Amino acid sequence: MSSHASVPALVPRRPPRLLTQNRELRAIGVWNWTLPAWAGRFPDGNTYNTCPSAGICRHVCYARFGTYTWPTVKAKHQANLRFVLDDLPGWEQAMLAELGRRKFRGTWVRIHDSGDFFSHAYLLAWLRIVRARPETNFYAYTKEVARFRALVEPDAPDNFLWVYSFGGTQDALLDIERDRVADVFPDEVAIAAAGWHSQEASDLLAVLGPRLVGIPANRIPHFLKRLAGRTFRSWQGEVDAERHAQRRPPGGLRLVHGATPPGPSASAGSGQVPATQRHGRAA
């Protein structure tokens, strides 16, 4: 008999526990589900992006620093993601089973200590889980504004709260007069000066406290240097404005409705610009 016949098929190892507690959340009795932060590569070479709407936040993300980068921690977070990607129905059933344990009744679960709702299918799976476990409370920070507008806001489960966080590519969709929003500030003094409300005393204040949520920046020296006294909202605004300016045609040229574009014989010195160049290029 061929030796290859006795080799079992490789089955991905599944995390024995899906919900854990880091030091900060354990102190307030919150459990959390974690994915790897932003973009990365699995050991097999395949790539992923768990935060498709990340903007400037990716440059100063706490989950891309310190203990999150330790090999054992990184491997655990990647195993969580592989479970979701390889077998979403199986992951959903495993999460439902774990949440069915008595210790999760009446508690809070933070969805994503790092990572985000990276696809419609993944968010819908979470919504089914939340609705199936009404005795547990869930909350999340997210930059997936458009996805939440479409899938969550029209019919949100009573036991699911969320806060939109600035620093992403969809910041322009947020309305600070209506949405619950979180912004990262240089320090507590800056939060108070802006009239926002810090969640430093408890992460649950992000969804249970006042609607304008201030988060003091992590005291990591090179992160603070990059932040340069700005908030995530203002920094992202600068980046968005720069990209918008780069998309504008040189010299403010624009197409005029009804105008006849120049023919191919127009000379370079005639002051006319070929139609294919009038809108410039996206950054």
Side-chain angles (χ1 to χ4, degrees):
M1 183 174 67
S2 170
S3 60
H4 295 289
S6 61
V7 177
L10 293 177
V11 178
R13 293 186 61 185
R14 301 307 189 199
R17 290 187 305 151
L18 301 178
L19 298 171
T20 58
Q21 290 180 308
N22 62 28
R23 182 175 59 183
E24 176 187 350
L25 297 182
R26 184 182 298 113
I28 57 174
V30 173
W31 295 84
N32 61 285
W33 160 252
T34 307
L35 296 176
W38 193 45
R41 188 181 300 274
F42 290 115
D44 63 7
N46 288 317
T47 60
Y48 58 82
N49 187 341
T50 63
C51 302
S53 294
I56 56 89
C57 62
R58 69 187 187 276
H59 299 302
V60 287
C61 177
Y62 69 91
R64 300 179 65 206
F65 182 82
T67 58
Y68 287 84
T69 64
W70 292 359
T72 54
V73 176
K74 184 177 180 179
K76 170 63 167 64
H77 296 170
Q78 288 190 341
N80 286 347
L81 179 59
R82 286 307 296 254
F83 195 176
V84 172
L85 295 177
D86 294 345
D87 183 11
L88 184 61
W91 168 82
E92 184 177 336
Q93 290 305 310
M95 183 65 76
L96 280 170
E98 188 161 328
L99 285 166
R101 299 174 64 182
R102 183 180 297 275
K103 70 177 182 178
F104 292 112
R105 296 178 184 176
T107 62
W108 285 87
V109 172
R110 174 172 169 174
I111 305 175
H112 303 136
D113 179 33
S114 66
D116 207 339
F117 299 93
F118 56 83
S119 72
H120 273 36
Y122 176 57
L123 174 54
L124 289 171
W126 263 116
L127 290 175
R128 290 191 295 269
I129 291 167
V130 170
R131 288 191 172 95
R133 291 289 177 259
E135 295 180 340
T136 301
N137 301 298
F138 300 83
Y139 76 104
Y141 295 78
T142 186
K143 291 179 171 63
E144 293 299 323
V145 185
R147 186 165 284 137
F148 265 62
R149 296 271 199 250
L151 301 181
V152 181
E153 290 189 11
D155 184 26
D158 292 337
N159 57 329
F160 180 39
L161 301 176
W162 68 92
V163 54
Y164 293 119
S165 54
F166 281 109
T169 59
Q170 298 187 32
D171 277 11
L173 300 179
L174 295 173
D175 180 359
I176 65 170
E177 300 299 325
R178 179 176 69 91
D179 295 316
R180 174 174 288 275
V181 290
D183 197 0
V184 173
F185 288 77
D187 51 37
E188 293 281 355
V189 174
I191 294 173
W196 289 43
H197 306 273
S198 176
Q199 52 70 273
E200 183 71 0
S202 170
D203 194 56
L204 284 172
L205 291 174
V207 290
L208 297 178
R211 186 173 48 78
L212 300 179
V213 180
I215 303 172
N218 289 284
R219 311 316 293 174
I220 301 171
H222 65 280
F223 281 7
L224 291 175
K225 184 177 180 179
R226 298 201 72 171
L227 192 59
R230 298 167 293 188
T231 66
F232 275 19
R233 182 188 178 199
S234 62
W235 185 4
Q236 186 66 49
E238 293 173 9
V239 172
D240 291 345
E242 182 178 349
R243 287 176 177 167
H244 179 72
Q246 291 174 353
R247 292 189 183 103
R248 297 179 60 187
L253 290 173
R254 60 186 178 88
L255 286 174
V256 178
H257 180 69
T260 302
S265 61
S267 66
S270 66
Q272 294 175 307
V273 182
T276 54
Q277 297 179 16
R278 291 182 184 179
H279 290 294
R281 288 189 176 182

